[in-house]
Amino acid sequence: MVDELTGSYVDDLLARGQVRTAGVERALRAVGRHWFVERFWVGEREYECAVEGDDGWAEALGVVYSDQALITRRDDEGQPTSSASQPSVVAMMLEALDLEPGMRVLEIGAGTGYNAALMAEMVGDAGLVTTIDIDADVVAQTRRLLARAGYGAGFLPVGGGGGAG
């Protein structure tokens, strides 16, 4: 199911011209977006994508592999504080970066780690990508989600503690 959704997701981005290069296409096909969103919201609707085979798994995956931003954190009042960017925007940013194997990358704002994993695929080595954030909880989540997706070794998510990371 995930492979089919990933294929359709990338095919759609290709058809709309948001993916133009082989490197971006390969990265998007290689990195499962679902690994980087355990719990998320679209509008006020909450989804979980944490346990394969549960009743909400297929529905959550359908939303994850659509071209929409997913709210991934809310504050105590329920206001969105973080999100997984809309895939078409991610693709356009990656195309603009024009990454090549062997390049070193510094990402400011770790988010879920999805973008860092995509960039690691493009440069060929997770050790060449450093992603930082000022929020210690975000850094911890990024480490956990990168490891869950198989990208834990080599990455350096740094920062936290409320100050400059």
Side-chain angles (χ1 to χ4, degrees):
M1 171 183 236
V2 171
D3 289 341
E4 292 169 9
L5 288 169
T6 302
S8 294
Y9 164 82
V10 177
D11 291 345
D12 181 56
L13 293 171
L14 279 161
R16 292 190 287 151
Q18 286 141 341
V19 172
R20 298 183 313 275
T21 61
V24 172
E25 178 183 358
R26 185 181 48 74
L28 287 167
R29 290 191 191 281
V31 180
R33 189 179 191 217
H34 68 283
W35 292 113
F36 297 92
V37 288
E38 297 170 305
R39 181 173 152 208
F40 62 95
W41 296 262
V42 175
E44 295 304 314
R45 176 85 190 271
E46 181 177 357
Y47 296 86
E48 288 197 34
C49 198
V51 183
E52 185 172 350
D54 74 359
D55 291 338
W57 174 253
E59 183 180 4
L61 283 178
V63 176
V64 167
Y65 288 99
S66 65
D67 191 27
Q68 56 187 319
L70 309 174
I71 297 167
T72 56
R73 291 180 165 274
R74 292 184 179 263
D75 65 17
D76 292 338
E77 289 79 41
Q79 295 300 310
T81 60
S82 189
S83 67
S85 297
Q86 184 176 351
S88 56
V89 172
V90 171
M92 288 186 292
M93 289 188 300
L94 291 172
E95 290 289 356
L97 281 173
D98 196 24
L99 295 175
E100 295 181 15
M103 288 181 156
R104 298 186 63 76
V105 181
L106 172 63
E107 177 184 44
I108 311 295
T112 64
Y114 179 60
N115 198 54
L118 291 167
M119 291 186 296
E121 287 290 333
M122 293 179 71
V123 300
D125 181 353
L128 296 173
V129 178
T130 300
T131 183
I132 66 173
D133 206 287
I134 62 170
D135 187 327
D137 289 339
V138 170
V139 172
Q141 174 188 356
T142 301
R143 283 187 179 127
R144 186 179 77 257
L145 295 178
L146 283 164
R148 171 177 125 146
Y151 292 91
F155 264 104
L156 185 59
V158 296

